[in-house]
Amino acid sequence: MTARQIMTADEVRRALVRISHEIVEKHGGTAGLALVGIQRRGVPLARRIAAAIDEHEGVRPPVGALDITFYRDDLSLVAVQPVVKGTDLPFDLNDLTVVIVDDVLYTGRTVRAAMDALMDFGRPVAIRLAVLVDRGHRELPIRADHVGKNVPTSREETIKVHVAETDGGEDGVDIDRLEREGAGA
Amino acid sequence: MPRRSAVGGLDDPRAGERCQRLELERAWLVDPWTGREGVGSLLVEDGRIADLRWAGGRVAPGTRPELLVLPGLTDLHAHFREPGDEDAETIATGLAAAAHGGFTRVCLMPNTTPPVDGPGVLRQVLAAAAASGSPVRVDVYGTTSAGRGGLGLSAMGELADAGAAGFSDDGSPVADAALFRNALAYAGALDRVVVEHAQDPLLTAGAEMHEGLVATILGLRGWPRAGEEAAVARALAILDEVCRAAPTGARPRLHLTHLSTAGSLDLIRRAKSTGLPVTCDVTPHHLALHDGWVAGDRRWAWDAAAAPWAGSAVEAAPYDTATRVNPPLRTPADAAALAAGLRDGTVDAIATDHAPHTAVAKAVEYGEAANGISGIETGLGLLLAAVDAGVLDLPTATRALTVGPERVLGSAPGAGGPAGFEIGAPADVVLVDRSEGWMVSAEGLLSKGKNSPLLGRELGGRVLLTVAGGRFAYLDPGLDAG
Amino acid sequence: MIAEPAVTTPTPPAWRHRHLLDVADLGLDELETVMRTTDAMATVLARPIPKVPTLRGVSVTSIFYEASTRTRVSFEVAAKNLSADIVNIAASSSSVAKGESLVDTVRTIEALGADVLVIRHARSGAPYLAASIFGGHVVNAGDGWHAHPTQALLDLYTLRERLPGADLHGRKIVILGDILHSRVARSNLWTLTATGADLWLCGPATLLRGFEALARALPGDRRLTVTTDLRAALRDADAVMTLRLQQERMAAGLLPSLREYAARYQLTAERLRAARPEALVLHPGPMNEGVEIAPDVATSGRSVITEQVANGVAVRMALLYLLAGGRPAESADAPA
């Protein structure tokens, strides 16, 4: 194994707290603000950001979960059809600024799908994007508003985010090198 | 004596030419006339059996010679489609296929277009056979009813004079019982056998496969056993009636072809015990295959007998139209009853019911597909599989393809047929290489009809050489320019 | 407020088929995948605009050799909800009527770029012939007497949705009527016995032909009873599915008359009293009210017939998604 840790549990926590401050600062408060996590790891991350906002602002913005399975443009590249993990938006999108939260920003296709999905449920005032890790290699003109850590990577590398709620154990982010096919063990 | 089988003496053999010399050393010989099988050597010179020597002593298990030598086989039931459907088969391609299957004599069914219901078409078929250059002997049945229409008798007397081997409306039964009675009586006076396809048309209307568990699962219209057995019982009752009334020298003879159920054989067994002049045949596919094949099961009938449930053994796609045949493939239990009938003598012969079809006639929905299996080249291989499984012994199987058919045909012209391995007789010999299997393939079949459910299947022996009437009828490519 | 329930599967979704030709070869895990995916599709259907872009660019062609407005439209709506393109061919108005073979028709449809072929045919097994030559995915929309997979799956979905605990294990379910000629009965037989239901087939003896032998041949863990006794069949039943009785059965001499059939086998409110009080009534449609089912039963509170129609769209969306939504991993379908 060539995996190596690039964020510890503490670093993840600090990054999320910083993002929570940035979100409130950029939005100018918490009124009309909602967080929407992309299934699966975006959802607990959104909840933690909301909790952090609660801690320093005394207001907890509403949190939703968004499943983007039906909106992906890469279904035909996926070997096994993904499980539909459910969408839960316990608020009316129409007058809100929605911050989409996800663990890793890579090609931008997931975020594109998330925006399409959100549009099917209403017309937010604005959509912003917060991610724990931005690893580059965008294929679409998409940029995150709030980034926990910028990690330059090559396409042969993978980023693995561990979130206690979905993966068990400690939080953390690892970087790993893909074994190239035919390149030997 | 050499330890291994050997083929020798061949000097630039060519199909159609006389077999000047053929030496078969230490082969496994089967003589169905005497019932003897064992190691021996056979010599053919100038197209005739010149010498036959049985080796003495016992054969140790596992040391059986790899070369099998049988007398030339007779197929009582084949469709060569000429005239009328030459895209499916011609007499020339059918004869090539027959020789490849080990047959030196074939009896052709008259359900061509037009049918063989008068001497004109009969002579046309015989002329085509002669023109083919094949040394395989051809006999032709005339139809029982005029135009196979089931309404009046065919030109039976003229057909007999022109050399018809017997009469049959095969493909369909003679539905009119009164006409069938008349046909038996009239043909009896001509000393010709009536070959009947036993099927109750109303019980089997629209039928697609054997009525049973597999048909229920696949949702295909059933062909019940009773559809055959009712027709067999009726035919036997009428035969009995005709026998009682027959004048001296006009005794009728009835042959029921491609019987497929245990119940049919019980009826035959009882009729034979009362002395009725009835004979019957079964096909290799009804002996070795079963209705599970329609669902994609590919076990032999004897392997499926213990557990016929279709779901467990499916390895091919269901609804393969190559498995559609009339009468339909029955259950493994029926197949076992057919083998038992062969062993106890109830069944007189094995006939292939070779029914070639074009790809177009089979590349359709199952219920729209033509009935029939192209089987004249795979029949012997299926029987060898049955022999290897211990279902049949080699002399019994061989008898049903030689002595049996000759008896069925009775004193039709030239009957008596090949004289086995009698010294001085014209050679009718089949050589089978048992050292390796034969993979059935569309390209490997000489018949135009590639409609075989056995494509891609390995059978237990490969025909190397067929000599008919002293001439080469089939030569394995490996023996060319020997 | 949007709340589409999370669809949780402990293991990755199981789906091993390139085509949907039969339900007999679907494993329990695959049935579960279809049910879970149908749940997700039901959430899409519950939206104000029930449309997602999932199958954008996927081309679906449906060809119906037998008329069936209900099933054809259901597939059409399902495909459109997933943003697939769908072309419907009515076999009676195409070159098929001029004698073109199924093989040629399927080759033509493939050459025109179809990814999914939905086929309805009067001959059992016809979809297998189509699958043997079609490069994409074939969906059997009903073949002869053999199978009607999407109907059986929507029936299963409806029963699970409406029976307490969403569990069919031990539930007594009756299929009533013309079993012999019914692809709906055959397909339901496999799915319902697989999920543990206590299945009863009931009808006149001539229309049950072959099924007693099938019941005896089934493995011991599948429960199937075949009877001509309607009263015994209905006693304490949890659900009753009546089948359409076709006029041709009289002509074939299988039944004396429609009147006699109705007198002996029509599902009436009176007869339904023998079943459990909350017993469900299903019908695959189209109904002959007054023949196999009394009008008041068809429209009673126990009838889930309109739910069957609605669930049909969700199930067909799920199947189009499972078949065409991803690259086939390893196909369990028999080779062509």
Side-chain angles (χ1 to χ4, degrees):
Chain A
M1 285 294 278
T2 54
R4 119 183 110 80
Q5 193 171 49
I6 52 172
M7 287 180 90
T8 63
D10 262 348
E11 285 167 332
V12 169
R13 181 183 53 77
R14 281 196 286 270
L16 292 176
V17 168
R18 176 172 51 77
I19 288 173
S20 76
H21 284 287
E22 285 180 15
I23 287 173
V24 174
E25 186 183 1
K26 180 161 182 133
H27 184 62
T30 56
L33 182 68
L35 306 181
V36 171
I38 298 178
Q39 292 277 21
R40 291 170 65 213
R41 291 190 187 83
V43 178
L45 293 178
R47 291 214 182 92
R48 294 214 213 150
I49 292 170
I53 290 174
D54 193 5
E55 213 150 281
H56 52 79
E57 300 292 322
V59 177
R60 194 186 193 96
V63 177
L66 187 65
D67 182 279
I68 56 139
T69 309
F70 294 138
Y71 295 86
R72 297 173 67 125
D73 65 357
D74 57 353
L75 272 180
S76 60
L77 305 176
V78 178
V80 176
Q81 296 76 355
V83 194
V84 179
K85 292 171 284 283
T87 289
D88 182 19
L89 302 175
F91 39 74
D92 186 346
L93 289 174
N94 283 322
D95 298 313
L96 296 178
T97 291
V98 174
V99 180
I100 295 173
V101 180
D102 203 1
D103 54 351
V104 178
L105 177 59
Y106 184 22
T107 62
R109 290 179 189 275
T110 301
V111 175
R112 199 276 314 159
M115 289 192 286
D116 279 358
L118 275 184
M119 298 298 194
D120 270 5
F121 293 110
R123 187 180 180 285
V125 175
I127 297 178
R128 302 195 205 288
L129 174 62
V131 296
L132 182 60
V133 174
D134 181 349
R135 60 167 296 191
H137 302 289
R138 215 77 74 238
E139 292 168 4
L140 298 172
I142 281 172
R143 180 184 59 79
D145 298 278
H146 313 288
V147 178
K149 186 181 177 80
N150 280 294
V151 181
T153 60
S154 74
R155 286 182 183 274
E156 285 71 42
E157 288 167 323
T158 58
I159 298 288
K160 285 185 184 154
V161 174
H162 302 273
V163 180
E165 292 93 318
T166 53
D167 306 296
E170 284 223 327
D171 290 347
V173 180
D174 290 347
I175 188 164
D176 201 352
R177 182 160 284 276
L178 282 178
E179 301 289 350
R180 276 215 196 149
E181 271 181 56
Chain B
M1 179 175 288
R3 298 189 60 81
R4 292 178 60 84
S5 305
V7 185
L10 289 172
D11 179 22
D12 192 23
R14 288 173 203 277
E17 291 187 356
R18 178 166 297 277
C19 173
Q20 297 298 349
R21 188 174 175 84
L22 173 63
E23 301 160 6
L24 303 172
E25 302 285 346
R26 201 182 149 71
W28 190 263
L29 304 181
V30 181
D31 183 349
W33 279 266
T34 61
R36 183 166 184 184
E37 67 172 329
V39 180
S41 297
L42 186 74
L43 176 66
V44 177
E45 272 180 337
D46 198 22
R48 292 179 182 274
I49 305 285
D51 193 19
L52 168 67
R53 253 175 290 174
W54 296 94
R58 298 176 63 88
V59 181
T63 62
R64 180 175 275 215
E66 293 162 341
L67 196 64
L68 173 65
V69 178
L70 303 175
L73 310 178
T74 295
D75 191 357
L76 276 179
H77 189 147
H79 300 268
F80 283 179
R81 307 299 188 204
E82 185 180 346
D85 192 8
E86 289 83 354
D87 286 346
E89 193 82 290
T90 64
I91 288 169
T93 58
L95 288 171
H100 185 212
F103 292 95
T104 56
R105 183 182 185 189
V106 291
C107 302
L108 302 186
M109 281 297 167
N111 60 335
T112 48
T113 312
V116 185
D117 67 344
V121 186
L122 180 68
R123 286 195 195 98
Q124 184 188 336
V125 170
L126 291 173
S132 75
S134 169
V136 173
R137 179 176 160 185
V138 174
D139 288 286
V140 185
Y141 299 108
T143 63
T144 309
S145 68
R148 285 183 74 242
L151 294 175
L153 293 179
S154 66
M156 283 186 160
E158 290 178 62
L159 281 163
D161 290 346
F167 303 102
S168 182
D169 273 3
D170 182 69
S172 37
V174 179
D176 179 336
L179 183 70
F180 183 64
R181 173 184 179 172
N182 294 336
L184 274 175
Y186 202 91
L190 296 169
D191 197 19
R192 290 293 188 283
V193 65
V194 171
V195 179
E196 181 63 356
H197 165 129
Q199 176 178 5
D200 183 296
L202 294 175
L203 266 176
T204 59
E208 294 168 296
M209 70 171 294
H210 170 66
E211 183 169 309
L213 181 60
V214 181
T216 301
I217 290 170
L218 294 182
L220 290 174
R221 291 164 172 77
W223 203 126
R225 291 187 183 91
E228 177 172 298
E229 291 157 6
V232 169
R234 189 193 79 163
L236 292 172
I238 293 170
L239 176 66
D240 187 41
E241 193 68 46
V242 175
C243 281
R244 289 173 200 281
T248 311
R251 189 169 158 82
R253 282 187 290 133
L254 172 64
H255 179 75
L256 293 163
T257 189
H258 55 48
L259 292 183
S260 63
T261 78
S264 292
L265 295 201
D266 286 341
L267 291 165
I268 299 292
R269 199 170 280 122
R270 203 180 324 148
K272 282 189 166 183
S273 73
T274 67
L276 273 186
V278 64
T279 52
C280 69
D281 70 61
V282 301
T283 73
H285 50 266
H286 287 110
L287 277 165
L289 314 185
H290 56 97
D291 61 345
W293 280 58
V294 184
D297 190 343
R298 286 294 178 267
R299 294 173 298 169
W300 298 126
W302 43 86
D303 294 327
W309 169 243
S312 54
V314 168
E315 48 183 286
Y319 302 101
D320 180 354
T321 56
T323 62
R324 186 162 195 223
V325 61
N326 188 22
L329 299 176
R330 300 287 184 188
T331 66
D334 287 299
L338 303 189
L342 275 163
R343 290 193 300 265
D344 72 12
T346 304
V347 177
D348 303 88
I350 295 169
T352 68
D353 193 6
H354 175 66
H357 286 292
T358 61
V360 169
K362 286 288 196 180
V364 291
E365 300 86 336
Y366 198 84
E368 304 286 340
N371 276 308
I373 290 174
S374 177
I376 206 164
E377 289 166 89
T378 54
L380 180 58
L382 286 179
L383 296 173
L384 291 174
V387 167
D388 290 338
V391 175
L392 288 176
D393 60 51
L394 205 42
T396 300
T398 310
R399 202 176 301 123
L401 288 162
T402 51
V403 188
E406 303 300 337
R407 287 205 186 116
V408 169
L409 293 169
S411 60
F421 298 137
E422 193 182 320
I423 307 294
D428 277 312
V429 177
V430 186
L431 245 67
V432 184
D433 180 0
R434 294 272 269 154
S435 66
E436 54 186 31
W438 174 53
M439 178 68 79
V440 184
S441 67
E443 308 76 54
L445 294 180
L446 300 183
S447 169
K448 282 191 175 185
K450 312 301 182 187
N451 49 305
S452 168
L454 297 166
L455 299 182
R457 185 90 181 198
E458 193 168 82
L459 299 179
R462 197 160 56 95
V463 173
L464 289 180
L465 182 68
T466 302
V467 176
R471 291 159 64 199
F472 291 112
Y474 174 76
L475 280 163
D476 184 83
L479 289 179
D480 257 344
Chain C
M1 299 262 290
I2 311 288
E4 297 183 347
V7 178
T8 47
T9 358
T11 48
W15 186 257
R16 296 179 289 272
H17 288 77
R18 179 179 148 197
H19 309 291
L20 179 70
L21 302 176
D22 195 1
V23 285
D25 54 357
L26 295 185
L28 265 181
D29 55 342
E30 288 175 294
L31 289 176
E32 196 59 36
T33 297
V34 174
M35 294 298 109
R36 296 277 70 85
T37 311
T38 303
D39 283 338
M41 296 303 172
T43 67
V44 172
L45 288 178
R47 296 181 187 180
I49 302 169
K51 183 163 180 145
V52 287
T54 316
L55 294 187
R56 200 163 45 197
V58 170
S59 173
V60 179
T61 297
S62 82
I63 182 159
F64 276 62
Y65 287 84
E66 276 184 339
S68 162
T69 308
R70 173 179 313 244
T71 305
R72 184 178 56 74
V73 171
S74 182
F75 270 107
E76 185 169 348
V77 171
K80 286 181 171 166
N81 288 348
L82 293 172
S83 303
D85 300 313
I86 180 155
V87 178
N88 295 306
I89 302 174
S92 54
S93 66
S94 68
S95 54
V96 174
K98 296 170 196 146
E100 184 177 85
S101 74
L102 177 60
V103 169
D104 285 342
T105 303
V106 170
R107 289 206 176 109
T108 303
I109 290 170
E110 179 166 10
L112 290 170
D115 302 301
V116 179
L117 174 62
V118 177
I119 180 170
R120 157 71 61 91
H121 202 287
R123 285 290 189 186
S124 297
Y128 288 84
L129 177 63
S132 73
I133 47 179
F134 188 65
H137 311 277
V138 174
V139 179
N140 181 357
D143 65 324
W145 304 351
H146 168 241
H148 196 343
T150 57
Q151 179 72 42
L153 293 167
L154 79 88
D155 289 338
L156 179 64
Y157 188 78
T158 305
L159 286 166
R160 284 171 44 133
E161 195 179 47
R162 288 295 297 263
L163 289 175
D167 184 8
L168 299 194
H169 210 271
R171 296 288 181 177
K172 181 172 179 181
I173 297 170
V174 183
I175 304 180
L176 169 62
D178 182 359
I179 308 294
L180 173 63
H181 303 95
S182 176
R183 53 185 168 230
V184 175
R186 280 182 181 78
S187 282
N188 266 296
L189 188 155
W190 298 115
T191 51
L192 294 178
T193 58
T195 49
D198 175 20
L199 182 62
W200 289 56
L201 302 178
C202 179
T206 46
L207 300 180
L208 291 173
R209 188 175 290 152
F211 282 86
E212 180 60 35
L214 176 55
R216 282 197 298 266
L218 282 179
D221 57 345
R222 292 187 186 246
R223 296 168 69 186
L224 178 64
T225 309
V226 179
T227 181
T228 58
D229 182 348
L230 180 58
R231 195 174 307 188
L234 291 180
R235 191 176 301 128
D236 296 328
D238 292 288
V240 186
M241 181 187 302
T242 54
L243 300 173
R244 180 180 172 80
L245 185 80
Q246 293 185 326
Q247 200 77 43
E248 299 97 271
R249 309 305 170 222
M250 294 353 110
L254 290 160
L255 290 174
S257 67
L258 278 186
R259 192 164 44 85
E260 180 162 327
Y261 179 80
R264 286 167 179 261
Y265 288 101
Q266 184 182 95
L267 187 64
T268 61
E270 167 66 26
R271 287 177 174 145
L272 200 50
R273 268 189 215 118
R276 288 186 185 278
E278 67 285 2
L280 306 175
V281 173
L282 298 89
H283 194 299
M287 278 187 285
N288 288 314
E289 289 183 43
V291 181
E292 70 265 9
I293 188 166
D296 57 331
V297 173
T299 54
S300 74
R302 296 162 151 196
S303 165
V304 292
I305 295 170
T306 51
E307 286 174 57
Q308 286 176 278
V309 176
N311 288 338
V313 173
V315 160
R316 291 178 178 113
M317 286 169 73
L319 290 162
L320 289 174
Y321 169 68
L322 288 170
L323 291 169
R327 170 161 55 88
E330 61 245 45
S331 172
D333 292 313

